[in-house]
PDB file of all heavy atoms in Angstrom:
ATOM      1  N   LYS A   7     -87.170-190.458-117.367  1.00 92.00           N
ATOM      2  CA  LYS A   7     -87.617-190.480-118.519  1.00 92.00           C
ATOM      3  C   LYS A   7     -87.466-188.998-119.189  1.00 92.00           C
ATOM      4  O   LYS A   7     -87.956-188.007-118.660  1.00 92.00           O
ATOM      5  CB  LYS A   7     -89.163-190.899-118.842  1.00 92.00           C
ATOM      6  CG  LYS A   7     -89.688-190.872-120.251  1.00 92.00           C
ATOM      7  CD  LYS A   7     -91.066-191.408-120.282  1.00 92.00           C
ATOM      8  CE  LYS A   7     -91.750-191.117-121.544  1.00 92.00           C
ATOM      9  NZ  LYS A   7     -90.982-191.692-122.735  1.00 92.00           N
ATOM     10  N   LEU A   8     -86.856-188.927-120.283  1.00 98.00           N
ATOM     11  CA  LEU A   8     -86.601-187.657-120.884  1.00 98.00           C
ATOM     12  C   LEU A   8     -87.974-187.197-121.767  1.00 98.00           C
ATOM     13  O   LEU A   8     -88.523-187.969-122.556  1.00 98.00           O
ATOM     14  CB  LEU A   8     -85.443-187.564-121.821  1.00 98.00           C
ATOM     15  CG  LEU A   8     -84.119-187.891-121.131  1.00 98.00           C
ATOM     16  CD1 LEU A   8     -83.030-188.265-122.248  1.00 98.00           C
ATOM     17  CD2 LEU A   8     -83.832-186.768-120.235  1.00 98.00           C
ATOM     18  N   LYS A   9     -88.312-185.943-121.445  1.00 98.00           N
ATOM     19  CA  LYS A   9     -89.486-185.468-122.297  1.00 98.00           C
ATOM     20  C   LYS A   9     -89.245-184.107-122.917  1.00 98.00           C
ATOM     21  O   LYS A   9     -90.034-183.587-123.657  1.00 98.00           O
ATOM     22  CB  LYS A   9     -90.530-185.149-121.136  1.00 98.00           C
ATOM     23  CG  LYS A   9     -91.051-186.495-120.591  1.00 98.00           C
ATOM     24  CD  LYS A   9     -92.181-186.134-119.524  1.00 98.00           C
ATOM     25  CE  LYS A   9     -92.685-187.409-118.853  1.00 98.00           C
ATOM     26  NZ  LYS A   9     -93.743-187.137-117.914  1.00 98.00           N
ATOM     27  N   GLY A  10     -87.934-183.484-122.734  1.00 98.00           N
ATOM     28  CA  GLY A  10     -87.637-182.273-123.417  1.00 98.00           C
ATOM     29  C   GLY A  10     -86.210-182.375-123.795  1.00 98.00           C
ATOM     30  O   GLY A  10     -85.367-183.168-123.205  1.00 98.00           O
ATOM     31  N   ILE A  11     -85.898-181.627-124.853  1.00 98.00           N
ATOM     32  CA  ILE A  11     -84.564-181.412-125.190  1.00 98.00           C
ATOM     33  C   ILE A  11     -84.113-180.022-125.626  1.00 98.00           C
ATOM     34  O   ILE A  11     -84.796-179.385-126.353  1.00 98.00           O
ATOM     35  CB  ILE A  11     -84.266-182.541-126.401  1.00 98.00           C
ATOM     36  CG1 ILE A  11     -82.707-182.542-126.781  1.00 98.00           C
ATOM     37  CG2 ILE A  11     -84.981-182.207-127.579  1.00 98.00           C
ATOM     38  CD1 ILE A  11     -82.433-183.642-127.676  1.00 98.00           C
ATOM     39  N   ILE A  12     -82.941-179.597-125.256  1.00 98.00           N
ATOM     40  CA  ILE A  12     -82.456-178.264-125.704  1.00 98.00           C
ATOM     41  C   ILE A  12     -81.245-178.406-126.409  1.00 98.00           C
ATOM     42  O   ILE A  12     -80.355-179.128-126.189  1.00 98.00           O
ATOM     43  CB  ILE A  12     -82.214-177.370-124.433  1.00 98.00           C
ATOM     44  CG1 ILE A  12     -83.556-177.129-123.621  1.00 98.00           C
ATOM     45  CG2 ILE A  12     -81.461-176.108-124.734  1.00 98.00           C
ATOM     46  CD1 ILE A  12     -83.285-176.407-122.319  1.00 98.00           C
ATOM     47  N   PHE A  13     -81.333-177.593-127.548  1.00 98.00           N
ATOM     48  CA  PHE A  13     -80.105-177.572-128.457  1.00 98.00           C
ATOM     49  C   PHE A  13     -79.541-176.190-128.485  1.00 98.00           C
ATOM     50  O   PHE A  13     -80.105-175.217-128.494  1.00 98.00           O
ATOM     51  CB  PHE A  13     -80.452-177.887-129.929  1.00 98.00           C
ATOM     52  CG  PHE A  13     -80.920-179.264-130.183  1.00 98.00           C
ATOM     53  CD1 PHE A  13     -82.318-179.586-129.939  1.00 98.00           C
ATOM     54  CD2 PHE A  13     -80.081-180.178-130.674  1.00 98.00           C
ATOM     55  CE1 PHE A  13     -82.792-180.880-130.323  1.00 98.00           C
ATOM     56  CE2 PHE A  13     -80.524-181.511-130.818  1.00 98.00           C
ATOM     57  CZ  PHE A  13     -81.891-181.795-130.633  1.00 98.00           C
ATOM     58  N   ASP A  14     -78.058-176.152-128.474  1.00 97.00           N
ATOM     59  CA  ASP A  14     -77.353-174.965-128.775  1.00 97.00           C
ATOM     60  C   ASP A  14     -77.557-174.922-130.293  1.00 97.00           C
ATOM     61  O   ASP A  14     -78.017-175.783-130.973  1.00 97.00           O
ATOM     62  CB  ASP A  14     -75.895-175.096-128.489  1.00 97.00           C
ATOM     63  CG  ASP A  14     -74.971-173.926-129.030  1.00 97.00           C
ATOM     64  OD1 ASP A  14     -75.294-172.773-128.799  1.00 97.00           O
ATOM     65  OD2 ASP A  14     -74.045-174.300-129.594  1.00 97.00           O
ATOM     66  N   LYS A  15     -77.119-173.734-130.950  1.00 96.00           N
ATOM     67  CA  LYS A  15     -77.297-173.621-132.453  1.00 96.00           C
ATOM     68  C   LYS A  15     -76.058-173.836-133.087  1.00 96.00           C
ATOM     69  O   LYS A  15     -75.857-174.906-133.764  1.00 96.00           O
ATOM     70  CB  LYS A  15     -77.846-172.179-132.804  1.00 96.00           C
ATOM     71  CG  LYS A  15     -78.180-172.109-134.314  1.00 96.00           C
ATOM     72  CD  LYS A  15     -78.824-170.677-134.619  1.00 96.00           C
ATOM     73  CE  LYS A  15     -77.897-169.494-134.494  1.00 96.00           C
ATOM     74  NZ  LYS A  15     -76.825-169.493-135.468  1.00 96.00           N
ATOM     75  N   ASP A  16     -75.005-172.868-133.201  1.00 92.00           N
ATOM     76  CA  ASP A  16     -73.841-173.050-133.928  1.00 92.00           C
ATOM     77  C   ASP A  16     -73.045-174.040-133.468  1.00 92.00           C
ATOM     78  O   ASP A  16     -72.753-174.166-132.180  1.00 92.00           O
ATOM     79  CB  ASP A  16     -73.047-171.633-133.840  1.00 92.00           C
ATOM     80  CG  ASP A  16     -73.777-170.507-134.705  1.00 92.00           C
ATOM     81  OD1 ASP A  16     -74.583-170.692-135.559  1.00 92.00           O
ATOM     82  OD2 ASP A  16     -73.577-169.336-134.220  1.00 92.00           O
ATOM     83  N   GLY A  17     -72.479-174.900-134.415  1.00 92.00           N
ATOM     84  CA  GLY A  17     -71.645-176.027-134.049  1.00 92.00           C
ATOM     85  C   GLY A  17     -72.383-177.260-133.313  1.00 92.00           C
ATOM     86  O   GLY A  17     -71.669-178.241-133.059  1.00 92.00           O
ATOM     87  N   THR A  18     -73.672-177.064-133.212  1.00 97.00           N
ATOM     88  CA  THR A  18     -74.514-178.237-132.682  1.00 97.00           C
ATOM     89  C   THR A  18     -75.482-178.626-133.651  1.00 97.00           C
ATOM     90  O   THR A  18     -75.476-179.818-134.084  1.00 97.00           O
ATOM     91  CB  THR A  18     -75.172-177.712-131.297  1.00 97.00           C
ATOM     92  OG1 THR A  18     -74.165-177.393-130.396  1.00 97.00           O
ATOM     93  CG2 THR A  18     -76.064-178.769-130.790  1.00 97.00           C
ATOM     94  N   LEU A  19     -76.298-177.761-134.210  1.00 97.00           N
ATOM     95  CA  LEU A  19     -77.292-178.155-135.232  1.00 97.00           C
ATOM     96  C   LEU A  19     -76.612-178.334-136.606  1.00 97.00           C
ATOM     97  O   LEU A  19     -77.176-179.057-137.396  1.00 97.00           O
ATOM     98  CB  LEU A  19     -78.348-176.920-135.407  1.00 97.00           C
ATOM     99  CG  LEU A  19     -79.234-176.698-134.255  1.00 97.00           C
ATOM    100  CD1 LEU A  19     -80.196-175.653-134.615  1.00 97.00           C
ATOM    101  CD2 LEU A  19     -80.010-177.953-133.840  1.00 97.00           C
ATOM    102  N   PHE A  20     -75.444-177.856-136.761  1.00 95.00           N
ATOM    103  CA  PHE A  20     -74.605-178.127-137.943  1.00 95.00           C
ATOM    104  C   PHE A  20     -73.111-177.932-137.577  1.00 95.00           C
ATOM    105  O   PHE A  20     -72.746-177.290-136.498  1.00 95.00           O
ATOM    106  CB  PHE A  20     -74.950-177.110-138.911  1.00 95.00           C
ATOM    107  CG  PHE A  20     -74.982-175.705-138.516  1.00 95.00           C
ATOM    108  CD1 PHE A  20     -73.854-174.873-138.452  1.00 95.00           C
ATOM    109  CD2 PHE A  20     -76.123-175.058-137.944  1.00 95.00           C
ATOM    110  CE1 PHE A  20     -73.792-173.630-137.870  1.00 95.00           C
ATOM    111  CE2 PHE A  20     -76.088-173.757-137.426  1.00 95.00           C
ATOM    112  CZ  PHE A  20     -74.960-173.025-137.414  1.00 95.00           C
ATOM    113  N   ASP A  21     -72.243-178.389-138.484  1.00 91.00           N
ATOM    114  CA  ASP A  21     -70.935-178.251-138.508  1.00 91.00           C
ATOM    115  C   ASP A  21     -70.524-176.693-138.484  1.00 91.00           C
ATOM    116  O   ASP A  21     -70.725-176.026-139.435  1.00 91.00           O
ATOM    117  CB  ASP A  21     -70.090-178.960-139.560  1.00 91.00           C
ATOM    118  CG  ASP A  21     -68.637-178.920-139.361  1.00 91.00           C
ATOM    119  OD1 ASP A  21     -68.035-177.924-139.800  1.00 91.00           O
ATOM    120  OD2 ASP A  21     -68.066-179.769-138.851  1.00 91.00           O
ATOM    121  N   TYR A  22     -69.819-176.112-137.412  1.00 85.00           N
ATOM    122  CA  TYR A  22     -69.486-174.703-137.309  1.00 85.00           C
ATOM    123  C   TYR A  22     -68.806-174.198-138.516  1.00 85.00           C
ATOM    124  O   TYR A  22     -69.143-173.257-139.220  1.00 85.00           O
ATOM    125  CB  TYR A  22     -68.794-174.337-136.020  1.00 85.00           C
ATOM    126  CG  TYR A  22     -68.882-172.904-135.851  1.00 85.00           C
ATOM    127  CD1 TYR A  22     -69.831-172.276-134.928  1.00 85.00           C
ATOM    128  CD2 TYR A  22     -67.863-172.193-136.459  1.00 85.00           C
ATOM    129  CE1 TYR A  22     -69.825-170.962-134.722  1.00 85.00           C
ATOM    130  CE2 TYR A  22     -67.939-170.736-136.219  1.00 85.00           C
ATOM    131  CZ  TYR A  22     -68.834-170.112-135.393  1.00 85.00           C
ATOM    132  OH  TYR A  22     -68.836-168.801-135.276  1.00 85.00           O
ATOM    133  N   ALA A  23     -67.646-174.806-138.800  1.00 83.00           N
ATOM    134  CA  ALA A  23     -66.710-174.286-139.789  1.00 83.00           C
ATOM    135  C   ALA A  23     -67.328-174.345-141.259  1.00 83.00           C
ATOM    136  O   ALA A  23     -67.064-173.539-142.058  1.00 83.00           O
ATOM    137  CB  ALA A  23     -65.384-175.032-139.740  1.00 83.00           C
ATOM    138  N   GLN A  24     -68.060-175.422-141.438  1.00 84.00           N
ATOM    139  CA  GLN A  24     -68.822-175.654-142.684  1.00 84.00           C
ATOM    140  C   GLN A  24     -69.654-174.520-143.133  1.00 84.00           C
ATOM    141  O   GLN A  24     -69.670-174.009-144.328  1.00 84.00           O
ATOM    142  CB  GLN A  24     -69.532-176.989-142.824  1.00 84.00           C
ATOM    143  CG  GLN A  24     -70.169-177.354-144.078  1.00 84.00           C
ATOM    144  CD  GLN A  24     -71.002-178.501-144.006  1.00 84.00           C
ATOM    145  OE1 GLN A  24     -71.249-179.109-142.938  1.00 84.00           O
ATOM    146  NE2 GLN A  24     -71.448-179.068-145.172  1.00 84.00           N
ATOM    147  N   VAL A  25     -70.273-173.939-142.181  1.00 84.00           N
ATOM    148  CA  VAL A  25     -71.263-172.843-142.385  1.00 84.00           C
ATOM    149  C   VAL A  25     -70.597-171.596-142.259  1.00 84.00           C
ATOM    150  O   VAL A  25     -70.787-170.725-143.153  1.00 84.00           O
ATOM    151  CB  VAL A  25     -72.475-172.939-141.516  1.00 84.00           C
ATOM    152  CG1 VAL A  25     -73.278-171.566-141.520  1.00 84.00           C
ATOM    153  CG2 VAL A  25     -73.195-174.151-141.679  1.00 84.00           C
ATOM    154  N   TRP A  26     -69.814-171.294-141.287  1.00 79.00           N
ATOM    155  CA  TRP A  26     -69.248-170.018-140.968  1.00 79.00           C
ATOM    156  C   TRP A  26     -67.989-169.558-141.538  1.00 79.00           C
ATOM    157  O   TRP A  26     -67.547-168.461-141.533  1.00 79.00           O
ATOM    158  CB  TRP A  26     -69.159-169.834-139.335  1.00 79.00           C
ATOM    159  CG  TRP A  26     -70.502-169.606-138.803  1.00 79.00           C
ATOM    160  CD1 TRP A  26     -71.224-170.448-138.104  1.00 79.00           C
ATOM    161  CD2 TRP A  26     -71.290-168.313-138.798  1.00 79.00           C
ATOM    162  NE1 TRP A  26     -72.525-169.834-137.763  1.00 79.00           N
ATOM    163  CE2 TRP A  26     -72.462-168.457-138.012  1.00 79.00           C
ATOM    164  CE3 TRP A  26     -70.997-167.015-139.272  1.00 79.00           C
ATOM    165  CZ2 TRP A  26     -73.286-167.545-137.827  1.00 79.00           C
ATOM    166  CZ3 TRP A  26     -71.917-166.016-138.970  1.00 79.00           C
ATOM    167  CH2 TRP A  26     -73.127-166.288-138.308  1.00 79.00           C
ATOM    168  N   GLU A  27     -67.223-170.602-142.128  1.00 79.00           N
ATOM    169  CA  GLU A  27     -65.865-170.206-142.639  1.00 79.00           C
ATOM    170  C   GLU A  27     -65.952-169.204-143.789  1.00 79.00           C
ATOM    171  O   GLU A  27     -65.259-168.160-143.597  1.00 79.00           O
ATOM    172  CB  GLU A  27     -65.206-171.512-143.237  1.00 79.00           C
ATOM    173  CG  GLU A  27     -63.869-171.237-143.770  1.00 79.00           C
ATOM    174  CD  GLU A  27     -63.215-172.436-144.437  1.00 79.00           C
ATOM    175  OE1 GLU A  27     -63.933-173.334-144.691  1.00 79.00           O
ATOM    176  OE2 GLU A  27     -61.975-172.315-144.753  1.00 79.00           O
ATOM    177  N   ASP A  28     -66.707-169.326-144.725  1.00 79.00           N
ATOM    178  CA  ASP A  28     -66.837-168.451-145.856  1.00 79.00           C
ATOM    179  C   ASP A  28     -67.339-167.094-145.361  1.00 79.00           C
ATOM    180  O   ASP A  28     -66.999-166.085-145.759  1.00 79.00           O
ATOM    181  CB  ASP A  28     -67.761-168.995-146.972  1.00 79.00           C
ATOM    182  CG  ASP A  28     -67.288-170.140-147.660  1.00 79.00           C
ATOM    183  OD1 ASP A  28     -66.069-170.400-147.501  1.00 79.00           O
ATOM    184  OD2 ASP A  28     -67.931-170.937-148.290  1.00 79.00           O
ATOM    185  N   VAL A  29     -68.462-167.051-144.403  1.00 78.00           N
ATOM    186  CA  VAL A  29     -68.948-165.881-143.882  1.00 78.00           C
ATOM    187  C   VAL A  29     -67.954-165.024-143.110  1.00 78.00           C
ATOM    188  O   VAL A  29     -67.733-163.846-143.417  1.00 78.00           O
ATOM    189  CB  VAL A  29     -70.000-166.130-142.933  1.00 78.00           C
ATOM    190  CG1 VAL A  29     -70.601-164.926-142.380  1.00 78.00           C
ATOM    191  CG2 VAL A  29     -71.187-166.955-143.676  1.00 78.00           C
ATOM    192  N   LEU A  30     -67.011-165.795-142.269  1.00 80.00           N
ATOM    193  CA  LEU A  30     -66.031-165.098-141.548  1.00 80.00           C
ATOM    194  C   LEU A  30     -64.866-164.469-142.503  1.00 80.00           C
ATOM    195  O   LEU A  30     -64.426-163.367-142.410  1.00 80.00           O
ATOM    196  CB  LEU A  30     -65.350-166.061-140.422  1.00 80.00           C
ATOM    197  CG  LEU A  30     -66.195-166.336-139.332  1.00 80.00           C
ATOM    198  CD1 LEU A  30     -65.558-167.533-138.529  1.00 80.00           C
ATOM    199  CD2 LEU A  30     -66.296-165.088-138.465  1.00 80.00           C
ATOM    200  N   LYS A  31     -64.512-165.369-143.409  1.00 82.00           N
ATOM    201  CA  LYS A  31     -63.427-164.900-144.409  1.00 82.00           C
ATOM    202  C   LYS A  31     -63.973-163.634-145.136  1.00 82.00           C
ATOM    203  O   LYS A  31     -63.163-162.640-145.221  1.00 82.00           O
ATOM    204  CB  LYS A  31     -63.218-166.046-145.531  1.00 82.00           C
ATOM    205  CG  LYS A  31     -62.310-167.035-144.923  1.00 82.00           C
ATOM    206  CD  LYS A  31     -61.937-168.108-145.989  1.00 82.00           C
ATOM    207  CE  LYS A  31     -60.926-169.132-145.369  1.00 82.00           C
ATOM    208  NZ  LYS A  31     -60.757-170.242-146.411  1.00 82.00           N
ATOM    209  N   GLU A  32     -65.233-163.595-145.707  1.00 80.00           N
ATOM    210  CA  GLU A  32     -65.676-162.405-146.332  1.00 80.00           C
ATOM    211  C   GLU A  32     -65.768-161.251-145.400  1.00 80.00           C
ATOM    212  O   GLU A  32     -65.526-160.210-145.784  1.00 80.00           O
ATOM    213  CB  GLU A  32     -67.097-162.802-146.934  1.00 80.00           C
ATOM    214  CG  GLU A  32     -67.524-161.742-147.820  1.00 80.00           C
ATOM    215  CD  GLU A  32     -68.634-162.215-148.803  1.00 80.00           C
ATOM    216  OE1 GLU A  32     -68.697-163.353-149.141  1.00 80.00           O
ATOM    217  OE2 GLU A  32     -69.506-161.471-149.168  1.00 80.00           O
ATOM    218  N   GLY A  33     -66.218-161.476-144.214  1.00 79.00           N
ATOM    219  CA  GLY A  33     -66.279-160.464-143.162  1.00 79.00           C
ATOM    220  C   GLY A  33     -64.931-159.887-142.872  1.00 79.00           C
ATOM    221  O   GLY A  33     -64.702-158.571-142.792  1.00 79.00           O
ATOM    222  N   ILE A  34     -63.894-160.666-142.768  1.00 84.00           N
ATOM    223  CA  ILE A  34     -62.403-160.264-142.425  1.00 84.00           C
ATOM    224  C   ILE A  34     -62.041-159.498-143.566  1.00 84.00           C
ATOM    225  O   ILE A  34     -61.354-158.386-143.469  1.00 84.00           O
ATOM    226  CB  ILE A  34     -61.593-161.415-142.094  1.00 84.00           C
ATOM    227  CG1 ILE A  34     -62.128-161.986-140.659  1.00 84.00           C
ATOM    228  CG2 ILE A  34     -60.096-161.050-142.057  1.00 84.00           C
ATOM    229  CD1 ILE A  34     -61.441-163.400-140.454  1.00 84.00           C
ATOM    230  N   ASP A  35     -62.234-159.958-144.814  1.00 85.00           N
ATOM    231  CA  ASP A  35     -61.819-159.265-146.006  1.00 85.00           C
ATOM    232  C   ASP A  35     -62.396-157.910-145.966  1.00 85.00           C
ATOM    233  O   ASP A  35     -61.614-156.915-146.396  1.00 85.00           O
ATOM    234  CB  ASP A  35     -62.122-160.104-147.313  1.00 85.00           C
ATOM    235  CG  ASP A  35     -61.255-161.279-147.588  1.00 85.00           C
ATOM    236  OD1 ASP A  35     -60.086-161.262-146.882  1.00 85.00           O
ATOM    237  OD2 ASP A  35     -61.567-162.157-148.315  1.00 85.00           O
ATOM    238  N   SER A  36     -63.680-157.843-145.787  1.00 81.00           N
ATOM    239  CA  SER A  36     -64.323-156.609-145.758  1.00 81.00           C
ATOM    240  C   SER A  36     -63.906-155.692-144.850  1.00 81.00           C
ATOM    241  O   SER A  36     -63.644-154.266-145.017  1.00 81.00           O
ATOM    242  CB  SER A  36     -65.831-156.771-145.664  1.00 81.00           C
ATOM    243  OG  SER A  36     -66.542-155.590-145.540  1.00 81.00           O
TER     244      SER A  36
END
Side-chain angles (χ1 to χ4, degrees):
K7 177 177 171 55
L8 297 171
K9 297 181 179 180
I11 185 167
I12 292 172
F13 293 88
D14 171 54
K15 182 173 74 69
D16 293 335
T18 299
L19 295 181
F20 52 84
D21 182 281
Y22 192 97
Q24 183 184 10
V25 170
W26 282 101
E27 180 186 9
D28 292 342
V29 178
L30 285 171
K31 283 182 176 178
E32 189 163 332
I34 289 170
D35 284 341
S36 176

